[in-house]
Amino acid sequence: MKTFNDLEFKPHPMNGSGVVSRIKFDNGFGASVVKGPHTYGGKEGLYELAVTDAEDRLTYTTPVTSDVEGYLTEEDVTKLLEQIQNL
């Protein structure tokens, strides 16, 4: 089971001042995890997560969430990653 510690963050290509990590799971789903000055919770050092589909596009039609989840701690991110892997 993948957790927050498995994420590999890179500079965010859109604004350069944040970080982004994308991860894909065997079930075809994945996650985009970002932190930066313009993300939900980024100014507080927290993360935001969106679920991705098989084409690596954001999807809002899973039982995990119907939107971007923000203001997440590392532990919160791990819980959501586990839910995504169990879809």
Side-chain angles (χ1 to χ4, degrees):
M1 188 72 54
K2 301 285 186 185
T3 69
F4 180 88
N5 292 329
D6 295 299
L7 298 175
E8 296 180 20
F9 287 95
K10 298 178 180 178
H12 196 289
M14 296 295 279
N15 61 27
S17 60
V19 293
V20 60
S21 179
R22 292 184 79 100
I23 191 166
K24 202 70 153 156
F25 303 118
D26 291 338
N27 63 3
F29 289 99
S32 172
V33 181
V34 296
K35 178 175 74 171
H38 305 291
T39 61
Y40 298 122
K43 290 181 181 176
E44 292 87 14
L46 301 172
Y47 297 86
E48 104 181 2
L49 179 148
V51 179
T52 59
D53 64 15
E55 284 81 40
D56 206 31
R57 296 177 302 212
L58 301 186
T59 181
Y60 304 105
T61 59
T62 69
V64 174
T65 182
S66 60
D67 203 348
V68 172
E69 295 291 320
Y71 300 92
L72 303 172
T73 64
E74 292 178 10
E75 294 81 18
D76 295 332
V77 171
T78 290
K79 288 178 187 175
L80 288 171
L81 293 176
E82 289 172 353
Q83 290 179 35
I84 296 166
Q85 290 171 86
N86 287 323
L87 288 174

